[in-house]
Amino acid sequence: MSEANHLYAIALGSNRRHVRHGRPAGVVAAAIAQLDAKFVLFDASPIILNKAVGGAGRDFANAVALVESGLEPMEMLSRLKTLERDFGRRPGRRWGERVLDLDLVAWSGGRFRSRGLTIPHGRLGEREFVLGPLEAIAPNWRIVGGLTPRHLLWRLGKRRQES
């Protein structure tokens, strides 16, 4: 483990009921509590409810949590995948229903790229359901090419107006 602490933005999503945590919003809240127990929770956005995209089925509950950890990105990803499995996530359709989805969308170390992980998340600028919660807790964090969540949301809205 590295001596340096990193700040990670983790997108959380659920669109499937959990036997213990109930509806998707309860799953996301329980996952935030687990992130707090396993790492240092810096902040968490409100949980939002929104329509599923890409054939994912039921509507989603989404949030973003900021956690602090000395873990490097690949080890952090491994821990998040373990947490997903602990909540009952199993391999399935790429855009299918899921009890819990955790994505590393940004970190304080800037850009990171390896097999299986790219930070910032490649589709961050297209995902209002991630940008909105991230903007609520870290509006001025420079993430993509010096752009903040606030800038990225504005650009996304502008593109939608033009189409």
Side-chain angles (χ1 to χ4, degrees), residues 78-132:
S78 176
R79 300 277 179 97
L80 295 179
K81 294 305 168 192
T82 298
L83 184 58
E84 286 179 346
R85 285 190 300 277
D86 290 349
F87 270 72
R89 175 134 185 212
R90 301 292 175 255
R93 288 184 319 145
R94 180 175 170 93
W95 298 106
E97 291 182 357
R98 61 209 61 174
V99 69
L100 181 63
D101 186 32
L102 301 171
D103 287 325
L104 284 175
V105 295
W107 78 309
S108 57
R111 293 192 178 278
F112 178 87
R113 188 174 195 73
S114 73
R115 184 180 175 142
L117 178 61
T118 301
I119 306 174
H121 192 284
R123 291 201 170 122
L124 179 59
E126 303 167 15
R127 295 186 167 170
E128 187 174 1
F129 60 89
V130 176
L131 287 172

CSV table of all heavy atoms in Angstrom, one decimal, residues 78-132:
chain,number,residue,atom,x,y,z
A,78,SER,N,-10.2,-3.5,-7.5
A,78,SER,CA,-10.4,-4.9,-7.0
A,78,SER,C,-11.3,-4.9,-5.8
A,78,SER,O,-12.2,-5.7,-5.6
A,78,SER,CB,-9.0,-5.5,-6.7
A,78,SER,OG,-9.2,-6.8,-6.1
A,79,ARG,N,-11.1,-3.9,-4.9
A,79,ARG,CA,-11.9,-3.9,-3.6
A,79,ARG,C,-13.3,-3.5,-4.0
A,79,ARG,O,-14.2,-4.0,-3.3
A,79,ARG,CB,-11.3,-2.8,-2.7
A,79,ARG,CG,-9.9,-3.1,-2.2
A,79,ARG,CD,-9.8,-4.0,-1.1
A,79,ARG,NE,-8.5,-4.3,-0.7
A,79,ARG,CZ,-7.8,-3.7,0.3
A,79,ARG,NH1,-8.4,-2.8,1.0
A,79,ARG,NH2,-6.6,-4.0,0.6
A,80,LEU,N,-13.5,-2.6,-5.0
A,80,LEU,CA,-14.9,-2.3,-5.3
A,80,LEU,C,-15.6,-3.5,-6.0
A,80,LEU,O,-16.8,-3.7,-5.7
A,80,LEU,CB,-14.9,-1.1,-6.3
A,80,LEU,CG,-14.4,0.2,-5.7
A,80,LEU,CD1,-14.4,1.3,-6.8
A,80,LEU,CD2,-15.2,0.6,-4.5
A,81,LYS,N,-14.9,-4.3,-6.8
A,81,LYS,CA,-15.5,-5.4,-7.4
A,81,LYS,C,-15.9,-6.5,-6.3
A,81,LYS,O,-16.9,-7.1,-6.4
A,81,LYS,CB,-14.6,-6.1,-8.5
A,81,LYS,CG,-14.4,-5.2,-9.7
A,81,LYS,CD,-15.7,-4.8,-10.3
A,81,LYS,CE,-15.6,-3.6,-11.3
A,81,LYS,NZ,-16.9,-3.1,-11.7
A,82,THR,N,-15.0,-6.6,-5.3
A,82,THR,CA,-15.4,-7.5,-4.2
A,82,THR,C,-16.6,-7.0,-3.5
A,82,THR,O,-17.5,-7.8,-3.1
A,82,THR,CB,-14.2,-7.5,-3.2
A,82,THR,OG1,-13.0,-8.1,-3.9
A,82,THR,CG2,-14.5,-8.4,-2.0
A,83,LEU,N,-16.7,-5.7,-3.2
A,83,LEU,CA,-17.9,-5.1,-2.6
A,83,LEU,C,-19.2,-5.4,-3.4
A,83,LEU,O,-20.2,-5.8,-2.9
A,83,LEU,CB,-17.8,-3.6,-2.3
A,83,LEU,CG,-18.9,-2.9,-1.6
A,83,LEU,CD1,-19.1,-3.6,-0.2
A,83,LEU,CD2,-18.5,-1.5,-1.4
A,84,GLU,N,-19.1,-5.3,-4.8
A,84,GLU,CA,-20.2,-5.6,-5.6
A,84,GLU,C,-20.6,-7.1,-5.4
A,84,GLU,O,-21.8,-7.3,-5.3
A,84,GLU,CB,-19.8,-5.4,-7.1
A,84,GLU,CG,-19.8,-4.0,-7.6
A,84,GLU,CD,-19.4,-3.8,-9.0
A,84,GLU,OE1,-18.9,-4.8,-9.6
A,84,GLU,OE2,-19.5,-2.8,-9.6
A,85,ARG,N,-19.7,-8.0,-5.4
A,85,ARG,CA,-20.0,-9.4,-5.2
A,85,ARG,C,-20.6,-9.6,-3.8
A,85,ARG,O,-21.5,-10.4,-3.7
A,85,ARG,CB,-18.7,-10.2,-5.4
A,85,ARG,CG,-18.3,-10.4,-6.9
A,85,ARG,CD,-17.3,-11.4,-7.1
A,85,ARG,NE,-16.0,-11.1,-6.3
A,85,ARG,CZ,-15.1,-10.3,-6.8
A,85,ARG,NH1,-15.2,-9.7,-7.9
A,85,ARG,NH2,-14.0,-10.1,-6.0
A,86,ASP,N,-20.1,-8.9,-2.8
A,86,ASP,CA,-20.7,-9.0,-1.5
A,86,ASP,C,-22.2,-8.7,-1.5
A,86,ASP,O,-22.9,-9.2,-0.6
A,86,ASP,CB,-19.9,-8.2,-0.5
A,86,ASP,CG,-18.5,-8.7,-0.2
A,86,ASP,OD1,-18.2,-9.8,-0.6
A,86,ASP,OD2,-17.7,-7.9,0.4
A,87,PHE,N,-22.5,-7.8,-2.3
A,87,PHE,CA,-23.9,-7.3,-2.4
A,87,PHE,C,-24.8,-8.2,-3.3
A,87,PHE,O,-25.9,-8.0,-3.6
A,87,PHE,CB,-24.0,-5.9,-2.9
A,87,PHE,CG,-24.0,-4.9,-1.8
A,87,PHE,CD1,-22.8,-4.6,-1.1
A,87,PHE,CD2,-25.1,-4.1,-1.5
A,87,PHE,CE1,-22.8,-3.7,-0.1
A,87,PHE,CE2,-25.1,-3.2,-0.5
A,87,PHE,CZ,-23.9,-3.0,0.3
A,88,GLY,N,-24.1,-9.2,-3.9
A,88,GLY,CA,-24.8,-10.2,-4.7
A,88,GLY,C,-24.7,-10.0,-6.2
A,88,GLY,O,-25.4,-10.6,-7.0
A,89,ARG,N,-23.8,-9.1,-6.7
A,89,ARG,CA,-23.7,-8.9,-8.1
A,89,ARG,C,-23.0,-10.1,-8.7
A,89,ARG,O,-22.0,-10.6,-8.2
A,89,ARG,CB,-22.8,-7.7,-8.4
A,89,ARG,CG,-22.6,-7.5,-9.9
A,89,ARG,CD,-22.8,-6.1,-10.4
A,89,ARG,NE,-22.6,-6.1,-11.8
A,89,ARG,CZ,-22.2,-5.0,-12.4
A,89,ARG,NH1,-21.9,-3.9,-11.8
A,89,ARG,NH2,-22.1,-5.0,-13.7
A,90,ARG,N,-23.6,-10.6,-9.8
A,90,ARG,CA,-23.0,-11.7,-10.6
A,90,ARG,C,-22.8,-11.3,-12.0
A,90,ARG,O,-23.5,-10.4,-12.5
A,90,ARG,CB,-24.0,-12.9,-10.5
A,90,ARG,CG,-24.3,-13.4,-9.1
A,90,ARG,CD,-23.0,-14.0,-8.4
A,90,ARG,NE,-23.2,-14.4,-7.1
A,90,ARG,CZ,-22.8,-13.7,-6.0
A,90,ARG,NH1,-22.1,-12.6,-6.2
A,90,ARG,NH2,-23.0,-14.1,-4.8
A,91,PRO,N,-21.9,-12.0,-12.7
A,91,PRO,CA,-21.7,-11.6,-14.1
A,91,PRO,C,-23.0,-11.8,-14.9
A,91,PRO,O,-23.8,-12.7,-14.6
A,91,PRO,CB,-20.7,-12.7,-14.6
A,91,PRO,CG,-20.0,-13.1,-13.3
A,91,PRO,CD,-21.0,-13.0,-12.2
A,92,GLY,N,-23.2,-11.0,-15.8
A,92,GLY,CA,-24.4,-11.0,-16.6
A,92,GLY,C,-24.3,-10.1,-17.8
A,92,GLY,O,-23.2,-9.7,-18.2
A,93,ARG,N,-25.5,-9.8,-18.4
A,93,ARG,CA,-25.5,-8.9,-19.5
A,93,ARG,C,-24.8,-7.6,-19.1
A,93,ARG,O,-25.0,-7.0,-18.0
A,93,ARG,CB,-26.9,-8.6,-19.9
A,93,ARG,CG,-27.6,-9.7,-20.6
A,93,ARG,CD,-29.0,-9.3,-21.1
A,93,ARG,NE,-29.7,-8.5,-20.1
A,93,ARG,CZ,-30.5,-7.5,-20.5
A,93,ARG,NH1,-30.8,-7.2,-21.7
A,93,ARG,NH2,-31.1,-6.8,-19.5
A,94,ARG,N,-24.1,-7.0,-20.1
A,94,ARG,CA,-23.4,-5.8,-19.9
A,94,ARG,C,-24.3,-4.6,-19.4
A,94,ARG,O,-24.0,-3.9,-18.5
A,94,ARG,CB,-22.6,-5.4,-21.1
A,94,ARG,CG,-21.8,-4.1,-21.0
A,94,ARG,CD,-21.0,-3.8,-22.2
A,94,ARG,NE,-20.4,-2.5,-22.1
A,94,ARG,CZ,-19.2,-2.2,-21.7
A,94,ARG,NH1,-18.5,-3.1,-21.2
A,94,ARG,NH2,-18.8,-0.9,-21.7
A,95,TRP,N,-25.4,-4.5,-20.0
A,95,TRP,CA,-26.3,-3.4,-19.7
A,95,TRP,C,-27.6,-3.9,-19.0
A,95,TRP,O,-28.6,-3.3,-19.0
A,95,TRP,CB,-26.8,-2.6,-20.9
A,95,TRP,CG,-25.6,-2.0,-21.6
A,95,TRP,CD1,-25.0,-2.4,-22.8
A,95,TRP,CD2,-24.9,-0.8,-21.1
A,95,TRP,NE1,-23.9,-1.6,-23.0
A,95,TRP,CE2,-23.8,-0.6,-22.1
A,95,TRP,CE3,-25.0,0.0,-20.0
A,95,TRP,CZ2,-22.9,0.4,-21.9
A,95,TRP,CZ3,-24.1,1.0,-19.9
A,95,TRP,CH2,-23.1,1.2,-20.8
A,96,GLY,N,-27.5,-5.1,-18.3
A,96,GLY,CA,-28.6,-5.7,-17.6
A,96,GLY,C,-28.8,-5.1,-16.2
A,96,GLY,O,-28.1,-4.2,-15.8
A,97,GLU,N,-29.9,-5.6,-15.6
A,97,GLU,CA,-30.2,-5.2,-14.2
A,97,GLU,C,-29.0,-5.6,-13.3
A,97,GLU,O,-28.4,-6.6,-13.5
A,97,GLU,CB,-31.5,-5.9,-13.7
A,97,GLU,CG,-32.7,-5.3,-14.5
A,97,GLU,CD,-33.9,-6.0,-14.0
A,97,GLU,OE1,-33.9,-6.9,-13.1
A,97,GLU,OE2,-35.0,-5.6,-14.4
A,98,ARG,N,-28.8,-4.8,-12.3
A,98,ARG,CA,-27.7,-5.1,-11.3
A,98,ARG,C,-28.1,-4.6,-10.0
A,98,ARG,O,-28.7,-3.6,-9.8
A,98,ARG,CB,-26.4,-4.5,-11.8
A,98,ARG,CG,-26.5,-3.0,-11.9
A,98,ARG,CD,-25.6,-2.4,-12.9
A,98,ARG,NE,-25.9,-2.9,-14.2
A,98,ARG,CZ,-25.4,-2.4,-15.3
A,98,ARG,NH1,-24.5,-1.5,-15.2
A,98,ARG,NH2,-25.7,-2.9,-16.4
A,99,VAL,N,-27.7,-5.4,-9.0
A,99,VAL,CA,-28.0,-5.1,-7.6
A,99,VAL,C,-27.1,-3.9,-7.2
A,99,VAL,O,-27.5,-3.0,-6.5
A,99,VAL,CB,-27.9,-6.3,-6.7
A,99,VAL,CG1,-26.5,-6.8,-6.5
A,99,VAL,CG2,-28.6,-5.9,-5.3
A,100,LEU,N,-25.8,-3.9,-7.7
A,100,LEU,CA,-24.9,-2.8,-7.3
A,100,LEU,C,-23.9,-2.7,-8.4
A,100,LEU,O,-23.3,-3.7,-8.8
A,100,LEU,CB,-24.2,-3.1,-6.0
A,100,LEU,CG,-23.3,-2.0,-5.5
A,100,LEU,CD1,-24.0,-0.7,-5.3
A,100,LEU,CD2,-22.6,-2.4,-4.2
A,101,ASP,N,-23.6,-1.5,-8.8
A,101,ASP,CA,-22.6,-1.1,-9.8
A,101,ASP,C,-21.7,0.0,-9.2
A,101,ASP,O,-22.3,1.0,-8.8
A,101,ASP,CB,-23.2,-0.7,-11.1
A,101,ASP,CG,-22.2,-0.5,-12.2
A,101,ASP,OD1,-21.2,-1.2,-12.2
A,101,ASP,OD2,-22.4,0.4,-13.0
A,102,LEU,N,-20.4,-0.3,-9.1
A,102,LEU,CA,-19.5,0.7,-8.6
A,102,LEU,C,-18.5,1.0,-9.6
A,102,LEU,O,-17.8,0.1,-10.1
A,102,LEU,CB,-18.8,0.2,-7.3
A,102,LEU,CG,-19.7,-0.2,-6.1
A,102,LEU,CD1,-18.9,-0.9,-5.1
A,102,LEU,CD2,-20.4,1.0,-5.6
A,103,ASP,N,-18.3,2.3,-10.0
A,103,ASP,CA,-17.3,2.7,-11.0
A,103,ASP,C,-16.4,3.7,-10.5
A,103,ASP,O,-16.9,4.7,-9.8
A,103,ASP,CB,-18.0,3.2,-12.3
A,103,ASP,CG,-18.7,2.2,-13.1
A,103,ASP,OD1,-18.2,1.1,-13.2
A,103,ASP,OD2,-19.8,2.5,-13.7
A,104,LEU,N,-15.1,3.6,-10.7
A,104,LEU,CA,-14.1,4.6,-10.4
A,104,LEU,C,-14.2,5.6,-11.5
A,104,LEU,O,-13.9,5.3,-12.7
A,104,LEU,CB,-12.7,4.0,-10.4
A,104,LEU,CG,-12.3,3.3,-9.2
A,104,LEU,CD1,-10.9,2.7,-9.4
A,104,LEU,CD2,-12.3,4.1,-8.0
A,105,VAL,N,-14.7,6.8,-11.2
A,105,VAL,CA,-14.9,7.8,-12.3
A,105,VAL,C,-13.8,8.9,-12.3
A,105,VAL,O,-13.5,9.5,-13.4
A,105,VAL,CB,-16.3,8.5,-12.3
A,105,VAL,CG1,-17.3,7.4,-12.6
A,105,VAL,CG2,-16.6,9.1,-11.0
A,106,ALA,N,-13.1,9.1,-11.2
A,106,ALA,CA,-12.1,10.1,-11.1
A,106,ALA,C,-11.2,9.8,-9.9
A,106,ALA,O,-11.7,9.1,-9.0
A,106,ALA,CB,-12.6,11.5,-11.1
A,107,TRP,N,-10.0,10.3,-9.9
A,107,TRP,CA,-9.2,10.3,-8.7
A,107,TRP,C,-8.2,11.4,-8.7
A,107,TRP,O,-8.0,12.1,-9.7
A,107,TRP,CB,-8.5,8.9,-8.6
A,107,TRP,CG,-7.3,8.7,-9.5
A,107,TRP,CD1,-7.2,8.9,-10.8
A,107,TRP,CD2,-6.0,8.2,-9.1
A,107,TRP,NE1,-5.9,8.6,-11.3
A,107,TRP,CE2,-5.2,8.2,-10.2
A,107,TRP,CE3,-5.4,7.9,-7.9
A,107,TRP,CZ2,-3.8,7.8,-10.2
A,107,TRP,CZ3,-4.1,7.4,-7.8
A,107,TRP,CH2,-3.4,7.4,-9.0
A,108,SER,N,-7.6,11.7,-7.5
A,108,SER,CA,-6.8,12.9,-7.4
A,108,SER,C,-5.4,12.7,-8.1
A,108,SER,O,-4.7,13.7,-8.2
A,108,SER,CB,-6.5,13.1,-5.9
A,108,SER,OG,-6.0,12.0,-5.3
A,109,GLY,N,-5.1,11.5,-8.6
A,109,GLY,CA,-3.9,11.3,-9.3
A,109,GLY,C,-3.9,11.7,-10.8
A,109,GLY,O,-2.9,11.4,-11.5
A,110,GLY,N,-5.0,12.2,-11.3
A,110,GLY,CA,-5.1,12.6,-12.7
A,110,GLY,C,-5.5,11.5,-13.6
A,110,GLY,O,-6.4,10.7,-13.2
A,111,ARG,N,-4.9,11.4,-14.7
A,111,ARG,CA,-5.3,10.3,-15.7
A,111,ARG,C,-4.6,9.0,-15.3
A,111,ARG,O,-3.4,9.0,-14.8
A,111,ARG,CB,-4.8,10.7,-17.1
A,111,ARG,CG,-5.6,11.9,-17.6
A,111,ARG,CD,-5.4,12.0,-19.1
A,111,ARG,NE,-6.2,13.1,-19.6
A,111,ARG,CZ,-7.4,13.0,-20.0
A,111,ARG,NH1,-8.1,11.9,-19.9
A,111,ARG,NH2,-8.1,14.1,-20.5
A,112,PHE,N,-5.3,7.9,-15.5
A,112,PHE,CA,-4.8,6.6,-15.3
A,112,PHE,C,-5.3,5.6,-16.3
A,112,PHE,O,-6.5,5.7,-16.6
A,112,PHE,CB,-5.2,6.0,-13.9
A,112,PHE,CG,-4.7,4.6,-13.6
A,112,PHE,CD1,-3.4,4.5,-13.0
A,112,PHE,CD2,-5.5,3.5,-13.9
A,112,PHE,CE1,-2.9,3.2,-12.8
A,112,PHE,CE2,-5.0,2.3,-13.6
A,112,PHE,CZ,-3.7,2.1,-13.1
A,113,ARG,N,-4.5,4.8,-16.9
A,113,ARG,CA,-4.9,3.9,-18.0
A,113,ARG,C,-4.2,2.6,-17.8
A,113,ARG,O,-3.0,2.6,-17.8
A,113,ARG,CB,-4.7,4.5,-19.3
A,113,ARG,CG,-5.3,3.7,-20.4
A,113,ARG,CD,-5.2,4.5,-21.8
A,113,ARG,NE,-6.0,4.0,-22.8
A,113,ARG,CZ,-7.3,4.1,-23.0
A,113,ARG,NH1,-8.0,4.8,-22.0
A,113,ARG,NH2,-7.9,3.7,-24.0
A,114,SER,N,-4.9,1.5,-17.8
A,114,SER,CA,-4.4,0.2,-17.8
A,114,SER,C,-5.4,-0.7,-18.4
A,114,SER,O,-6.6,-0.3,-18.6
A,114,SER,CB,-4.0,-0.3,-16.4
A,114,SER,OG,-5.1,-0.6,-15.6
A,115,ARG,N,-5.1,-2.0,-18.6
A,115,ARG,CA,-6.1,-2.9,-19.1
A,115,ARG,C,-7.2,-3.1,-18.1
A,115,ARG,O,-7.0,-3.4,-16.9
A,115,ARG,CB,-5.4,-4.3,-19.3
A,115,ARG,CG,-6.3,-5.3,-19.9
A,115,ARG,CD,-5.6,-6.6,-20.2
A,115,ARG,NE,-6.6,-7.5,-20.6
A,115,ARG,CZ,-6.3,-8.4,-21.5
A,115,ARG,NH1,-5.1,-8.5,-22.0
A,115,ARG,NH2,-7.3,-9.2,-21.9
A,116,GLY,N,-8.4,-2.7,-18.5
A,116,GLY,CA,-9.5,-2.9,-17.6
A,116,GLY,C,-9.9,-1.7,-16.8
A,116,GLY,O,-10.9,-1.7,-16.1
A,117,LEU,N,-9.1,-0.6,-16.8
A,117,LEU,CA,-9.5,0.6,-16.0
A,117,LEU,C,-8.9,1.9,-16.7
A,117,LEU,O,-7.7,1.9,-17.0
A,117,LEU,CB,-8.9,0.5,-14.6
A,117,LEU,CG,-9.1,1.7,-13.7
A,117,LEU,CD1,-10.6,1.9,-13.5
A,117,LEU,CD2,-8.4,1.4,-12.4
A,118,THR,N,-9.8,2.8,-16.9
A,118,THR,CA,-9.4,4.1,-17.4
A,118,THR,C,-10.0,5.2,-16.5
A,118,THR,O,-11.2,5.1,-16.2
A,118,THR,CB,-9.9,4.4,-18.8
A,118,THR,OG1,-9.3,3.4,-19.7
A,118,THR,CG2,-9.5,5.7,-19.3
A,119,ILE,N,-9.2,6.1,-15.9
A,119,ILE,CA,-9.6,7.2,-15.1
A,119,ILE,C,-9.1,8.4,-15.7
A,119,ILE,O,-7.9,8.5,-16.0
A,119,ILE,CB,-9.1,7.0,-13.6
A,119,ILE,CG1,-9.5,5.6,-13.1
A,119,ILE,CG2,-9.7,8.1,-12.8
A,119,ILE,CD1,-8.9,5.4,-11.7
A,120,PRO,N,-9.9,9.5,-15.9
A,120,PRO,CA,-11.4,9.5,-15.6
A,120,PRO,C,-12.1,8.6,-16.5
A,120,PRO,O,-11.7,8.2,-17.6
A,120,PRO,CB,-11.8,11.0,-15.9
A,120,PRO,CG,-10.6,11.6,-16.5
A,120,PRO,CD,-9.4,10.7,-16.4
A,121,HIS,N,-13.3,8.1,-16.1
A,121,HIS,CA,-14.1,7.2,-16.8
A,121,HIS,C,-14.4,7.7,-18.2
A,121,HIS,O,-14.7,8.9,-18.4
A,121,HIS,CB,-15.4,7.0,-16.0
A,121,HIS,CG,-16.3,5.9,-16.5
A,121,HIS,ND1,-17.0,6.0,-17.7
A,121,HIS,CD2,-16.5,4.7,-16.0
A,121,HIS,CE1,-17.6,4.8,-17.9
A,121,HIS,NE2,-17.3,4.0,-16.9
A,122,GLY,N,-14.2,6.9,-19.2
A,122,GLY,CA,-14.3,7.3,-20.6
A,122,GLY,C,-15.6,7.9,-21.0
A,122,GLY,O,-15.7,8.8,-21.9
A,123,ARG,N,-16.7,7.6,-20.3
A,123,ARG,CA,-18.0,8.2,-20.6
A,123,ARG,C,-18.5,9.2,-19.6
A,123,ARG,O,-19.7,9.5,-19.6
A,123,ARG,CB,-19.0,7.1,-20.8
A,123,ARG,CG,-18.8,6.2,-22.0
A,123,ARG,CD,-20.0,5.5,-22.4
A,123,ARG,NE,-19.9,4.9,-23.7
A,123,ARG,CZ,-20.0,3.6,-24.0
A,123,ARG,NH1,-20.3,2.8,-23.0
A,123,ARG,NH2,-19.9,3.1,-25.2
A,124,LEU,N,-17.7,9.6,-18.8
A,124,LEU,CA,-18.1,10.6,-17.7
A,124,LEU,C,-18.8,11.8,-18.3
A,124,LEU,O,-19.8,12.2,-17.7
A,124,LEU,CB,-16.9,11.0,-16.9
A,124,LEU,CG,-17.1,12.0,-15.7
A,124,LEU,CD1,-18.1,11.4,-14.7
A,124,LEU,CD2,-15.8,12.4,-15.1
A,125,GLY,N,-18.3,12.4,-19.3
A,125,GLY,CA,-18.9,13.5,-19.9
A,125,GLY,C,-20.3,13.3,-20.5
A,125,GLY,O,-21.0,14.3,-20.9
A,126,GLU,N,-20.7,12.1,-20.7
A,126,GLU,CA,-22.0,11.7,-21.3
A,126,GLU,C,-23.1,11.3,-20.2
A,126,GLU,O,-24.2,11.1,-20.6
A,126,GLU,CB,-21.8,10.6,-22.2
A,126,GLU,CG,-20.8,10.8,-23.3
A,126,GLU,CD,-20.5,9.5,-24.1
A,126,GLU,OE1,-21.2,8.5,-23.9
A,126,GLU,OE2,-19.5,9.5,-24.8
A,127,ARG,N,-22.7,11.2,-19.0
A,127,ARG,CA,-23.5,10.6,-18.0
A,127,ARG,C,-24.0,11.6,-16.9
A,127,ARG,O,-23.3,11.8,-15.9
A,127,ARG,CB,-22.8,9.4,-17.3
A,127,ARG,CG,-22.5,8.3,-18.3
A,127,ARG,CD,-21.9,7.1,-17.7
A,127,ARG,NE,-22.0,6.0,-18.6
A,127,ARG,CZ,-21.4,4.9,-18.4
A,127,ARG,NH1,-20.7,4.7,-17.4
A,127,ARG,NH2,-21.5,4.0,-19.3
A,128,GLU,N,-25.2,12.2,-17.2
A,128,GLU,CA,-25.7,13.1,-16.3
A,128,GLU,C,-26.0,12.5,-14.9
A,128,GLU,O,-25.9,13.2,-13.9
A,128,GLU,CB,-27.0,13.7,-16.9
A,128,GLU,CG,-27.6,14.8,-16.0
A,128,GLU,CD,-28.8,15.5,-16.7
A,128,GLU,OE1,-29.2,15.0,-17.8
A,128,GLU,OE2,-29.3,16.4,-16.1
A,129,PHE,N,-26.3,11.2,-14.9
A,129,PHE,CA,-26.6,10.5,-13.6
A,129,PHE,C,-25.3,10.4,-12.8
A,129,PHE,O,-25.4,10.0,-11.6
A,129,PHE,CB,-27.3,9.2,-13.9
A,129,PHE,CG,-26.5,8.2,-14.7
A,129,PHE,CD1,-25.6,7.3,-14.1
A,129,PHE,CD2,-26.7,8.2,-16.1
A,129,PHE,CE1,-24.9,6.4,-14.9
A,129,PHE,CE2,-26.0,7.3,-16.8
A,129,PHE,CZ,-25.1,6.4,-16.2
A,130,VAL,N,-24.2,10.6,-13.3
A,130,VAL,CA,-22.9,10.6,-12.6
A,130,VAL,C,-22.5,12.1,-12.3
A,130,VAL,O,-22.1,12.5,-11.2
A,130,VAL,CB,-21.8,9.8,-13.2
A,130,VAL,CG1,-20.5,10.0,-12.5
A,130,VAL,CG2,-22.2,8.4,-13.4
A,131,LEU,N,-22.5,12.9,-13.4
A,131,LEU,CA,-22.1,14.3,-13.3
A,131,LEU,C,-22.9,15.1,-12.3
A,131,LEU,O,-22.4,15.9,-11.6
A,131,LEU,CB,-22.1,15.0,-14.7
A,131,LEU,CG,-21.1,14.5,-15.6
A,131,LEU,CD1,-21.3,15.1,-17.0
A,131,LEU,CD2,-19.7,14.9,-15.1
A,132,GLY,N,-24.2,14.9,-12.3
A,132,GLY,CA,-25.1,15.6,-11.4
A,132,GLY,C,-24.7,15.4,-9.9
A,132,GLY,O,-24.5,16.4,-9.2
